[in-house]
Amino acid sequence: MGNANLSAVVEPFFLNPDLCKNVPESFEALVKSLKDKGVTTAKSVEDLEEFNAPTMCLIAGRTMDNPKFFRQCVAKGAKIIYLEKPGAPSVKELEEMASLAEEKGVKVYIGYNKNVTPYVQKALAVANKNAGSQVLFCHNNSYTTEALPECFGRNSEGMLKNMAVHELALLVSFFNVTVETIDKFEIDGEFSEKLTLDFNSKSYIDFSRIRFTVTTKSGATVSVMADRCGGNVSYALVQDKEGNDIEKFEFPDAETAAKVEEQVQADPEMMPYFFVQSDDYLELKNRVINATLAGKEPEGVATINVGVEALKLAEYGTAQLNESL
């Protein structure tokens, strides 16, 4: 990214000797390389100097920590914030953050990569050309059944606020779906699964897979399917109003899948979906930076207000699924 200068990296765990007693050699090497380039490293945003130049903060902490990081960045003078989804653990917290941003004149965007990914854009284009069509968005991850307890514990905000919230942001952004516009919320009980799993001496209740269809009061129909153990390939399926398939768009495609496979072989400890999504996240950041420099709004990128509506859908959908399963 040649049109932005990296000024600081904050890492609350590895850079805090009270929390991390044995810093990995690879992280120590990263810190040294950053310092050699004049980049500040710190354990807290509060340790940084006030931001004098126009500054964008990229916040990618744990969901429970992000509201605190957000307020610290605003207090330091950030004018643009790129916030990792879903932004906050609850609707109330994200609404409070949105109010603070409006008060301080801070623009906030949320990292919903599906908003800009090519397979979604292709599906939307086909759907728009076919009156009465509907789209099924399927989001797969490649966890094994044995890895689900760690997955549930690490993503304790729940599937709809973590994995499937990307699809909920699509529903808000492109189908005008909000809690207020929903007419019907139909759950596929045969496919959907709710589990109680133990991790680190705690029990977590969450969904391993879900599928539901939303119909809005204006008559639009769109479906969401998510499977923690569904593999590496996600897709968008466009169907006509009778339910017949029109076209299916998969991601990653064959070329991307081959590249991801090489990356997985080179770094087998990394979950494959990080490699699958990396180009989309780079596109998101480039759109935000380029639009900021041009004094425009980034095309297709979710604002914090879209994030609020997506979180409302997540809380609504979770309640509906819990009641049904």
Side-chain angles (χ1 to χ4, degrees):
M1 303 177 73
N3 52 0
N5 296 309
L6 179 63
S7 60
V9 172
V10 175
E11 216 310 313
F13 181 74
F14 289 126
L15 290 173
N16 188 336
D18 294 329
L19 297 177
C20 183
K21 305 299 182 183
N22 298 298
V23 180
E25 290 184 8
S26 57
F27 188 79
E28 289 181 330
L30 172 63
V31 170
K32 182 180 183 304
S33 69
L34 290 170
K35 289 182 176 179
D36 289 345
K37 295 178 174 65
V39 178
T40 299
T41 58
K43 68 178 185 297
S44 171
V45 176
E46 294 178 336
D47 294 335
L48 302 177
E49 296 180 358
E50 299 288 326
F51 305 147
N52 294 317
T55 300
M56 182 178 85
C57 290
L58 189 157
I59 301 175
R62 296 182 301 178
T63 300
M64 69 180 74
D65 296 327
N66 283 350
K68 176 184 70 175
F69 297 151
F70 181 89
R71 290 182 174 84
Q72 290 173 340
C73 290
V74 172
K76 287 292 181 181
K79 291 303 179 185
I80 306 286
I81 292 180
Y82 176 103
L83 183 63
E84 185 50 66
K85 56 81 186 169
S90 69
V91 170
K92 181 177 182 294
E93 288 171 287
L94 197 59
E95 286 179 328
E96 290 172 350
M97 293 157 66
S99 295
L100 177 62
E102 184 175 6
E103 176 190 338
K104 300 295 185 181
V106 180
K107 292 186 176 182
V108 185
Y109 305 101
I110 299 188
Y112 285 117
N113 69 299
K114 297 294 180 74
N115 275 40
V116 302
T117 196
Y119 83 95
V120 168
Q121 297 302 315
K122 291 175 183 177
L124 292 174
V126 170
N128 289 335
K129 293 178 182 177
N130 290 269
S133 62
Q134 53 189 307
V135 183
L136 165 64
F137 294 107
C138 176
H139 185 167
N140 287 322
N141 279 169
S142 56
Y143 289 96
T144 63
T145 302
E146 292 75 22
L148 282 178
E150 186 270 342
C151 173
F152 278 28
R154 184 167 53 82
N155 304 294
S156 59
E157 60 267 30
M159 177 185 263
L160 269 77
K161 286 186 177 181
N162 180 268
M163 178 181 175
V165 77
H166 286 284
E167 283 64 39
L168 299 183
L170 292 177
L171 269 56
V172 174
S173 299
F174 302 109
F175 296 87
N176 194 34
V177 177
T178 66
V179 171
E180 290 76 20
T181 64
I182 292 176
D183 181 41
K184 291 188 292 184
F185 189 94
E186 300 169 288
I187 295 166
D188 184 340
E190 291 187 9
F191 178 83
S192 304
E193 180 181 60
K194 181 169 70 173
L195 300 172
T196 301
L197 299 175
D198 295 331
F199 180 69
N200 284 348
S201 302
K202 290 182 66 177
S203 291
Y204 296 90
I205 301 174
D206 198 5
F207 310 106
S208 62
R209 58 181 184 264
I210 57 168
R211 179 169 176 160
F212 59 84
T213 298
V214 172
T215 302
T216 67
K217 294 173 183 176
S218 64
T221 300
V222 60
S223 300
V224 172
M225 175 179 173
D227 190 344
R228 297 279 196 192
C229 305
N232 289 327
V233 179
S234 298
Y235 62 84
L237 174 64
V238 184
Q239 298 176 312
D240 64 23
K241 57 186 177 182
E242 283 80 33
N244 301 308
D245 294 354
I246 298 176
E247 195 164 359
K248 182 179 182 181
F249 300 92
E250 294 187 342
F251 185 75
D253 56 23
E255 181 181 347
T256 305
K259 182 177 75 171
V260 168
E261 181 58 31
E262 290 181 7
Q263 293 171 315
V264 169
Q265 294 298 324
D267 189 358
E269 294 184 5
M270 185 76 72
M271 283 297 295
Y273 68 81
F274 286 113
F275 297 123
V276 171
Q277 298 173 359
S278 63
D279 288 345
D280 292 341
Y281 279 113
L282 180 59
E283 174 65 17
L284 271 178
K285 296 177 181 72
N286 276 323
R287 287 195 186 191
V288 171
I289 290 174
N290 292 336
T292 298
L293 292 173
K296 300 178 181 179
E297 288 296 315
E299 182 183 357
V301 180
T303 64
I304 194 169
N305 293 325
V306 170
V308 168
E309 296 302 329
L311 261 190
K312 287 181 181 179
L313 284 178
E315 293 186 358
Y316 173 89
T318 298
Q320 295 293 314
L321 284 157
N322 277 327
E323 184 178 334
S324 175
L325 300 179

